[in-house]
Structure formats: C-alpha cells, structure tokens
Amino acid sequence: MKNIFKHSALQKFIMILITYAAIQGLISAGIIDDYLQATLATICINIVLAVSLNLITGFTGQFSLGHAGFMSIGAYVCAIITINNPTAVGFIMGIIAGAIAAALIGAVVGLPTLRLRGDYLAIATLGMAEIIKIVFLNLEITNGAAGLQGIPQFVNWTWMFVFTVATVLIITNFLKSSHGRACISIREDEIAAESMGINTTKYKVISFTLGAFFAGIAGGLYASFFFFLKPDLFGFLKSVDVLVIVVLGGLGSISGSIIAAVLLAVISMFLQSFSEVRMIIYALLLIILMLFRPQGLMGSKEISLSVFKKLGLKSKTRKEES
Amino acid sequence: MENFLQQVINGISLGSIYALIALGYTMVYGIIKLINFAHCDVYMLGAYIGYFCMTSLKLGFFPSMVIAMLVCTVIGVLIEKIAYKPLRNATRIAVLITAIGVSLFIEYGTMFFVKANVRAYPEMTGFLAKSFAVGGLKITAQQILIVISTIILMAMLQFIVKKTKVGKAMRAVSLDKDAAELMGINVNSTISFTFAIGSALAGAAGVLVGIYYNSIDPLMGVIPGLKAFVAAVFGGIGIIPGAMIGGYFIGTVEVFVSGYGNSLYKDAVVFAILILILIVKPAGLLGKNTKEKV
Amino acid sequence: MAILTVKDLTKSFGGLTAVSKVNLELEQGELIGLIGPNGAGKTTAFNLLTGVYEPTSGSITLTKNGVSKEIQGMKPYAVCKDGLARTFQNIRLFKDLTVLDNVRIAMNQNVKYGLISSFLHLPSYLRAEKELERKSIELLKIFHLEGKKDELARNLPYGEQRHLEIVRALATEPSVLLLDEPAAGMNPAETAQLTDLIQYIRKQFKLTILLIEHDMSLVMKICERIYVLDYGQVIANGTPAEIRTNKRVIEAYLGEEVDNA
C-alpha cells in the first residue's frame, strides 16, 4: 500500500516537473512570447483563485460571491510592501503578508456570516467585497480610483508555477485529510455532520480562511506580474469570473477547476477585443450549464494518473482488437 | 434643521425607488426562495424602454411609463419561463448561479446593442420641470411624482395581494407550494404572475429614476439592485410591507450618509447595514426566525 | 447511577408544545424503548437530547465516570463529543461520499493531527489516517459492510443504509446511543437480524441505548423498559409486560394493534 502511494507521488512529481520544463523551454526558445506569457500568468492566477473558491463553495458548500475582495487585499498588501521594499525578499514577505491579511479578514467576516445559509451568505460576501473595494477606492495609501502603478515586477513563470502547484497540492492534501472530510460533510448534510461531532462553524471558518488565504496569494501574484492595480479590477465581475471557472469545472472537482481555468483563458484570449461578447458568452455558459449540466465538466470527480493509465489500456486493447 | 428636512425629502424620494425595486425581490423570494439577480436588470431595461419611448416615439411621461411597465412585465415572465422554471427542482445554488447568468446576459446584451455609454434622459417640460419652495425647502415636481407614483403602485399591489384571487394564490404558494398545488392552485401561473408584478414595478422604478437622475447606462441596475435587495432583507424578505419600510430606510440612510458624512462611503454603509442585519436578525425587521426541520 | 437523566424537558414551537415536562432516566447499560403514536414528540425529544433543538425548559444530565454534566442547550457537536450519538429517522447519510468516508468523518473529533500536518501529509497524518481506516473497517465488519467501503452511500440498498447510519454513530465512540426507528421499512427477517446486531453492539461497546421504534415485536423483545409518549407527555413507563397491559397506552394507540405484537 505504502509503495503504491510513494509510486504515484513520484509520478505526480515527474509530471509536474515535465510541465514546468516544457513551458520553460518554450519560453526560452521564444515560442511563448510576452503576450502568451501574460495568458499563462492569468491561467495560473485563475487556477489559484478557482481552486481556493472551490474549497469554499464546491467542497464546503458555502456559496461565496466575495472572492475578488480577498484577492484585492492580497494584491494591495503585496504591492505596497514591494513598492517600499523592492527586493525578492520584499516580494515574498509581501505576498505572504497579503495572504495572511486576506485570511484574517476572511476569518473576521466568516465568523459571524457563516451562520447564514446559502443565498444569504452569497449576498453577505458580495457586500463584504463591495465594502473592501470602496475602502480601497478611498484610502490614500492605495491611491484611490487611480490605482497603484509601477509595482516592482518579481513574478516570472517559475514563481507563478511554484505558487500554483503549491496551492493545488496543499488544498488537495487538506481535502484528503480528516479536516478536509469534515468540511465536505458540511456540504453533504450540515445537521448530520454536526450530530456526528463535527464543529461545523469551526470548519466553515477554516475553509473560508484557507480559501481567502490563497485568494490573497493570487492577488499578490497578480500585483507583482501585472504591476498595476486599481479597485475596479476586483469588483463583482471578478468574483463571477472565478465562479464561472469553478462551476464550469464542477463544484467539488479540483482537476475540473484547473481544466476550466485553462479553457476559459483560451476562450477569452480569442475574445479579448470583444469584452461585451465575452461576458455574454460567460453568462450563457452559466445558464446553459445550470440547465443542462449543473455538475459542470467534471462533476465532483477528479482526473488522476490512474485514469490516464486506464484510458491508455483501453486504447491499447482496442488497437489490439482491431 | 432645514438641511435635515431637506435630506428627509431627498431620502424619501430615493427610498421610493428602492422600495419599488425591493418589492420585486421580496415577492419572488417569498414565492420561490430565489434571489432574482436579474431583477435589477429589468429595472435597467425599464429605464431604457422609457428613454426610447420619450425620445424616438416622442411620447409623454405617463404613456412611456405604462409601456415600460408592460414590456418589463413580459420580460420578467419570459426570464422566469426560460431560465428559472426548468430548474424548479434543482438545488438553490444552481438557480442562484442561473440568476447571476441571466443578469450578466441582460447587462452585456444591452451593452452590445445600445453601447456602454451613459445617456441623458430627455429634459422634462411643463409641470415636471418645476420645483417648489416650501419654507426653506426645495421640493421638485419630480420628487412629488416619484412619491405619488410609488404610493399608487403600492396601494394597487396591496389590493392585488390582499383582495384578489390571484393574490390569495400568491400568498398560498409562498406558504406551501405543494399544499397550494393540492388545493387546485396553478402554481406555475402564480409564480409567473409574481414575476410579472415585480417586473412591472421595477419597470416603473426605472423610468422614475431616469427622470430623477437624468442619466442611464446598461450597468445602472447593479448597485441600486443590491441596495434594494438589502432593503428587502432589512424589512424581512418575503414580506411586502417589510420591503417598503426597508426601501425608505435604506434610501434615507444613504442620503444622510452623503449629506452629513462622506458620500464616498454611502454604498459601503448600506452593505455594512446588510451584514449587520444578517448577523443580528437574519429574518429582518418584520420576519420570524425559522429553523430547518430535522 | 443513571447515565442520562432528563428532568421536565419541554419544547414549545410558538403555541404548540411538542414535548412537555418529560422525565427519563437511563441506567448505565440499559436498553430503553421510546414509543408512542405518530406525532407524539419522540423525534423532537431526540432532537432536544442531541442539541439540534434548544429546550424551552428542563434539564438533561449526562453522568460519566461519576462526573455529571448538564448538556441541554449545547451544540450538537459538543453533545456528540460528550458521548451521545444518534441515527436519523429519515436517513441522513453523506450520500455522495463513500461508505468509508461516512465512517471516517464521524471519527473526526478523535483525530489528533493538526492543520499543518494535513496540508503537508506529515508522518503524523499518515499514521493517524492508517489507524482511522483500520478502525473504520473494523466497525464496518460488524455490519458486514467492509466489502462495500468504496461504494457511495447513496448506492447502498435501503437496509444497509440504515446499518451504515448505526456504524457512523458508533464511530463517534458514544456511551449513549439514540436510535430513531432503526427498523423502519425493513422486512421481518431484516428486523430480526437488526435486533441481534443491536444486542451485540450494546454488549461489545458497553452502550446504553435509547430506541424509538414502531415495530413492537422489536421493542417488546429487546427493551428492558419502555417509555410511552403521547401528546408530548410521558403517559407510561415500565417493563414490556407492564406496558402491554397499560390502559392509557392502549387508549393512546386506539386502533393500533399493540397487543397483537
């Protein structure tokens, strides 16, 4: 049993390494230009956002519409710290401080509001994100509506990749633990969970705080890669953006979120100059998904390496048969 | 003191508009437990329809408002039939996501056709352009119009809900959908009727806001919509008088924050009220707390 | 020494008093039946005992190792931690999770490793998870469910779902187990099997059991004492033989064939 675990962990590690090396190679060879690199960065940031929102909404069943709010906290804190300390150490400190700040706000907001059910929570989180946005619009240190410019750029593809992989691994590991299962049980049946000794409030707050933490990381990555911030970037539409990814991928599927993040980034790349059309397509996507495939692309299933193996095996046998 | 009374007058005018929108949220929530995100966009469409009636068709204010209400009614019913009805038995999260989708679709669909730029509502003429000085206070004819229209519409709504057969059906369905169905009430048409009334009120609010603020744009519904929802929650969602009280309260608070505090924070205060209400008394001012049956 | 003492427990919903001045006493190791016509307030009583509802008045005292603690008004998870576990009348499994996960989740309160360990899958995580799985399978074996540990709970046949609910409650390591109609919807053979299982777990885990059941054959066969609820009040309390002949009980059940069982 232990051997197999080690084996698949090793396989995973190799897969991750290959992905990194392949893209790094393409960048070095100049095949991935600056524009495509920006798309890659967007994909990574969206994966971090989607996976962390999925933890809150897909796995713990708490509908949050305020993810952009947490992201903006991470972004602004990281930006302000790196502006004052433009070194790699400053950036690392900034991104961690930003994530911690987002997590703290998440815990403070979550503690009272997570008692609310479903759509009430959605509205409360939406309200919270709007408040955060308005505060950033009015603070001096964030330069109000004009925003922050010239944030020192430290994040390159390597940093992006490291943070994204770390986020995905930490969240999947969490979900495979007793604590993670406690969160999932809240989604399944809150009353039963509580009757089985799960402190549902505690686990909701943990999930919410953890989700906010990684949204903060995503914000820090954004600030440092795109080196320009303004409060409007983190409005309701950004939260919906992330929600679309999570819903399309499947509430409760980490691999679904990753696939959807890539897919939607590609779609928006082609629709870049038609922002209205892009939003119309997003809107239709949401409606059609809910009407015809509410479980999203993946449902709550995960793609694992063994699935690839099975697929490989099937196609092999098919080939042999023919 | 004069300033204070002036703020009260402005607050009541703004509150009337929130109350009209909040009624749509509250009725729909009362009957199918859905936050109809698209409701604020029906209000936006109402403003645009009124705008085109007044500019392209050169109609007066009243015919324009009636047409806006009628068209919004149709739109509201269509939204319900196309997007929400197939999801009657889906999870609440699924319906809520659909509602967000419908809302975005209307907003950006409208933007696609009429472009994103802000349009100025036609100048009012005659009586509607007047303003009156009472003591040291300034009351515009538009404010009077808004308040009177709102009162008439609310009176009509109360009559429909309390005295008519379809109103009784609405109340029955909101109490217990299954039992109402067993009693021979056509649940689907009752729900459609609820959307129809709510949308008509939103359409009226759209036109009123157009003449009051003089500018409209495709995203104009988002923030007032949220505030109207806050108003509905404040009064107790699903409760019609609650939405009216909530609307006037939120309108007044907003005007006072702008008048005496910092107008930059007027939206933040409303959302803070929302979060506070949800924490302290989630059932709202007039609501009763309920607990899930085990 | 009574392990669970309920004094004057009352719950009103608005004007309706669902449970009125109920007194119960469960001795260590007893198997007690709680019966009564539909709507008598049995499940409400369970919900009060397990913290799902807060009582309007009255007290619930749990005594373990000579230490007494009033648990009324505590949150359900805290009540569970103190050793009171339950099953639900209308099965409330985690339907989209595996059988194993259903049991492991119920063991959450005894898990020792922290969040950091769960993020990084440190050795403490690996050790604890292994132990968790071993204990879960051991429990599942009692109900012959170990072979289905990777199936989704929703795909189990009805009878096995009821069994899994009991396993899940056992996984919380209770000292008092509340079973809400465990035999509902089962055929006589299944009920007989369940009867044996309840006897077995009671001995094996030194449990005190309170049982709501409509199946009189089961109640009369295994319960040492029976409380009868009607209109939220205890109308009788005694051995099965006493209850069988109690006039008030027969009246309450008018039309239901209590003596036929």
Side-chain angles (χ1 to χ4, degrees):
Chain A
M1 192 68 203
K2 209 169 182 187
N3 264 338
I4 294 169
F5 170 77
K6 272 192 175 161
H7 195 55
S8 79
L10 190 69
Q11 278 185 340
K12 226 189 258 172
F13 183 68
I14 293 171
M15 282 281 282
I16 292 170
L17 223 57
I18 291 173
T19 314
Y20 169 73
I23 293 177
Q24 184 59 48
L26 289 174
I27 293 174
S28 307
I31 296 170
I32 294 183
D33 57 11
D34 281 357
Y35 176 63
L36 280 177
Q37 270 200 56
T39 306
L40 262 180
T42 308
I43 291 176
C44 286
I45 291 166
N46 282 348
I47 287 174
V48 175
L49 286 170
V51 168
S52 53
L53 180 65
N54 210 340
L55 170 66
I56 299 173
T57 301
F59 288 95
T60 317
Q62 306 304 306
F63 196 26
S64 166
L65 281 178
H67 222 51
F70 297 130
M71 182 190 180
S72 70
I73 294 172
Y76 271 103
V77 172
C78 179
I80 291 165
I81 291 178
T82 23
I83 285 173
N84 290 313
N85 180 4
T87 59
V89 178
F91 162 67
I92 294 287
M93 269 164 52
I95 195 166
I96 302 278
I100 290 173
L104 281 177
I105 300 283
V108 169
V109 174
L111 215 48
T113 52
L114 284 168
R115 289 188 318 178
L116 305 167
R117 275 168 210 277
D119 25 16
Y120 275 96
L121 177 66
I123 284 289
T125 47
L126 199 169
M128 173 220 61
E130 285 298 317
I131 293 175
I132 293 173
K133 191 178 108 183
I134 294 166
V135 170
F136 282 141
L137 268 171
N138 291 303
L139 286 181
E140 212 156 289
I141 193 167
T142 57
N143 201 20
L148 290 174
Q149 278 170 354
I151 300 158
Q153 193 182 15
F154 285 102
V155 170
N156 53 17
W157 160 244
T158 308
W159 278 117
M160 278 287 173
F161 190 79
V162 168
F163 274 107
T164 309
V165 169
T167 305
V168 173
L169 284 182
I170 287 176
I171 291 182
T172 29
N173 275 355
F174 172 74
L175 287 167
K176 276 188 202 151
S177 76
S178 185
H179 304 295
R181 287 192 294 266
C183 290
I184 298 171
S185 76
I186 298 172
R187 172 194 75 192
E188 289 290 307
D189 188 332
E190 192 171 338
I191 287 172
E194 188 145 30
S195 294
M196 293 306 128
I198 307 288
N199 184 344
T200 50
T201 312
K202 175 179 132 192
Y203 278 108
K204 277 188 210 171
V205 173
I206 287 177
S207 155
F208 206 65
T209 309
L210 205 57
F213 179 88
F214 286 108
I217 293 274
L221 291 174
Y222 183 93
S224 189
F225 188 89
F226 291 101
F227 55 87
F228 170 63
L229 293 180
K230 60 175 184 170
D232 287 351
L233 291 169
F234 307 102
F236 177 54
L237 284 183
K238 184 66 206 176
S239 294
V240 171
D241 240 21
V242 185
L243 183 70
V244 173
I245 297 172
V246 173
V247 171
L248 174 65
L251 287 162
S253 169
I254 297 288
S255 31
S257 287
I258 297 171
I259 293 168
V262 176
L263 205 66
L264 286 177
V266 173
I267 292 177
S268 9
M269 201 165 71
F270 286 112
L271 293 173
Q272 205 211 7
S273 42
F274 312 95
S275 66
E276 287 139 32
V277 179
R278 186 180 79 104
M279 287 315 295
I280 295 173
I281 288 175
Y282 269 34
L284 284 176
L285 201 60
L286 278 180
I287 301 170
I288 292 168
L289 266 175
M290 286 302 111
L291 287 175
F292 300 107
R293 199 175 161 79
Q295 69 274 40
L297 292 174
M298 298 286 300
S300 55
K301 293 190 181 65
E302 299 290 353
I303 286 189
S304 63
L305 293 169
S306 59
V307 172
F308 285 121
K309 253 188 242 159
K310 266 183 214 157
L311 285 175
L313 224 71
K314 261 186 205 158
S315 58
K316 231 188 212 168
T317 47
R318 226 174 269 153
K319 267 179 210 157
E320 278 163 11
E321 274 165 16
S322 60
Chain B
M1 189 62 199
E2 258 170 32
N3 187 23
F4 178 83
L5 288 176
Q6 186 67 53
Q7 302 292 2
V8 171
I9 291 168
N10 296 347
I12 288 174
S13 315
L14 185 61
S16 297
I17 288 164
Y18 288 157
L20 282 179
I21 310 173
L23 285 168
Y25 279 112
T26 227
M27 286 193 294
V28 167
Y29 194 93
I31 210 155
I32 54 170
K33 303 283 172 285
L34 161 72
I35 298 174
N36 180 14
F37 269 90
H39 186 64
C40 64
D41 303 304
V42 174
Y43 151 85
M44 177 272 292
L45 288 175
Y48 268 91
I49 295 160
Y51 173 82
F52 285 113
C53 285
M54 287 184 211
T55 53
S56 306
L57 303 178
K58 304 268 184 277
L59 292 174
F61 166 77
F62 283 106
S64 301
M65 184 157 123
V66 172
I67 292 174
M69 287 174 72
L70 288 175
V71 178
C72 285
T73 305
V74 175
I75 293 169
V77 172
L78 281 180
I79 291 172
E80 196 274 324
K81 290 268 183 246
I82 296 168
Y84 302 151
K85 196 179 158 209
L87 293 168
R88 211 46 55 84
N89 295 318
T91 58
R92 277 167 78 171
I93 228 173
V95 194
L96 198 60
I97 291 170
T98 312
I100 294 173
V102 174
S103 168
L104 292 175
F105 181 72
I106 297 178
E107 283 162 17
Y108 290 88
T110 309
M111 206 182 269
F112 185 75
F113 286 112
V114 305
K115 299 298 164 240
N117 54 323
V118 174
R119 283 163 196 256
Y121 237 60
E123 285 284 325
M124 290 294 119
T125 52
F127 174 75
L128 284 177
K130 286 200 172 69
S131 68
F132 310 95
V134 184
L137 306 175
K138 185 183 152 209
I139 304 176
T140 65
Q142 292 163 7
Q143 287 177 323
I144 297 173
L145 176 75
I146 287 171
V147 173
I148 291 178
S149 313
T150 307
I151 291 171
I152 294 172
L153 290 170
M154 283 179 181
M156 282 163 66
L157 177 70
Q158 277 296 336
F159 176 78
I160 291 172
V161 173
K162 295 278 183 212
K163 303 284 182 202
T164 62
K165 211 173 158 186
V166 75
K168 274 184 198 152
M170 277 168 65
R171 283 184 287 154
V173 174
S174 74
L175 273 179
D176 189 332
K177 206 164 74 186
D178 297 330
E181 190 147 34
L182 290 173
M183 294 297 121
I185 291 171
N186 186 337
V187 171
N188 279 327
S189 62
T190 309
I191 292 174
S192 296
F193 188 75
T194 310
F195 272 85
I197 294 186
S199 306
L201 295 176
V207 179
L208 290 173
V209 107
I211 63 162
Y212 191 45
Y213 281 141
N214 240 321
S215 73
I216 56 172
D217 69 276
L219 298 179
M220 66 182 270
V222 180
I223 294 293
L226 282 171
K227 287 181 188 161
F229 181 77
V230 176
V233 173
F234 178 86
I237 196 140
I239 304 166
I240 288 175
M244 298 180 193
I245 296 171
Y248 284 109
F249 175 75
I250 297 295
T252 315
V253 166
E254 184 180 329
V255 167
F256 271 85
V257 172
S258 314
Y260 287 105
N262 186 344
S263 69
L264 292 168
Y265 282 100
K266 68 180 173 31
D267 296 353
V269 169
V270 174
F271 292 120
I273 290 176
L274 168 77
I275 293 175
L276 215 65
I277 281 275
L278 289 177
I279 293 162
V280 178
K281 198 168 188 301
L285 204 60
L286 305 181
K288 287 196 188 88
N289 288 312
T290 51
K291 195 156 182 169
E292 191 182 342
K293 195 168 158 48
V294 182
Chain C
M1 185 72 207
I3 183 164
L4 187 70
T5 313
V6 175
K7 269 214 176 88
D8 294 332
L9 193 65
T10 303
K11 176 70 187 175
S12 320
F13 296 101
L16 177 89
T17 305
V19 169
S20 169
K21 295 205 177 252
V22 163
N23 290 297
L24 304 171
E25 225 176 59
L26 274 67
E27 297 293 328
Q28 168 71 46
E30 266 189 316
L31 204 171
I32 305 286
L34 184 63
I35 65 171
N38 285 323
K42 303 181 298 281
T43 296
T44 307
F46 265 31
N47 285 336
L48 289 168
L49 290 176
T50 52
V52 176
Y53 294 154
E54 202 173 321
T56 312
S57 62
S59 71
I60 305 163
T61 313
L62 193 66
T63 307
K64 269 164 73 179
N65 309 323
V67 184
S68 292
K69 183 175 181 186
E70 294 207 355
I71 59 165
Q72 73 274 10
M74 273 171 39
K75 291 248 181 193
Y77 75 87
V79 172
C80 179
K81 231 168 233 174
D82 279 335
L84 216 71
R86 73 176 294 181
T87 65
F88 292 91
Q89 182 183 356
N90 47 342
I91 305 175
R92 293 188 89 126
L93 289 168
F94 307 122
K95 289 205 174 68
D96 288 313
L97 302 183
T98 63
V99 167
L100 181 63
D101 276 344
N102 266 275
V103 182
R104 283 195 292 195
I105 285 167
M107 291 180 172
N108 173 274
Q109 54 182 336
N110 295 319
V111 163
K112 292 287 182 288
Y113 61 85
L115 283 173
I116 303 293
S117 187
S118 78
F119 296 154
L120 304 174
H121 285 192
L122 298 178
S124 62
Y125 161 88
L126 296 172
R127 242 177 307 153
E129 283 293 314
K130 219 171 160 186
E131 175 67 9
L132 221 55
E133 186 164 344
R134 189 190 62 74
K135 269 161 75 182
S136 304
I137 288 172
E138 213 168 78
L139 285 177
L140 284 168
K141 272 185 184 155
I142 301 173
F143 287 82
H144 309 292
L145 284 168
E146 78 276 13
K148 297 193 169 179
K149 72 181 170 71
D150 293 323
E151 277 192 40
L152 294 186
R154 69 159 66 252
N155 294 336
L156 292 184
Y158 179 81
E160 288 184 351
Q161 290 195 13
R162 286 232 172 262
H163 284 176
L164 181 56
E165 273 232 327
I166 299 178
V167 176
R168 191 177 63 170
L170 286 176
T172 66
E173 301 181 10
S175 41
V176 180
L177 181 61
L178 309 180
L179 299 173
D180 199 345
E181 296 197 30
M186 289 188 173
N187 64 32
E190 287 171 329
T191 305
Q193 188 206 6
L194 179 75
T195 312
D196 294 341
L197 281 168
I198 292 175
Q199 301 271 36
Y200 174 78
I201 57 167
R202 173 192 180 192
K203 238 183 260 153
Q204 186 72 18
F205 299 97
K206 300 191 175 63
L207 290 171
T208 308
I209 298 178
L210 183 63
L211 177 91
I212 294 180
E213 191 46 71
H214 278 298
D215 189 318
M216 287 303 155
S217 65
L218 191 153
V219 176
M220 294 295 170
K221 188 173 163 200
I222 63 173
C223 293
E224 278 118 39
R225 276 191 305 132
I226 295 170
Y227 283 92
V228 187
L229 273 185
D230 194 25
Y231 293 109
Q233 288 176 315
V234 176
I235 57 165
N237 141 34
T239 62
E242 288 165 8
I243 295 298
R244 217 187 279 266
T245 53
N246 186 306
K247 267 222 174 83
R248 284 192 70 185
V249 177
I250 295 168
E251 266 168 33
Y253 271 92
L254 205 66
E256 292 192 33
E257 300 157 287
V258 68
D259 48 358
N260 224 3

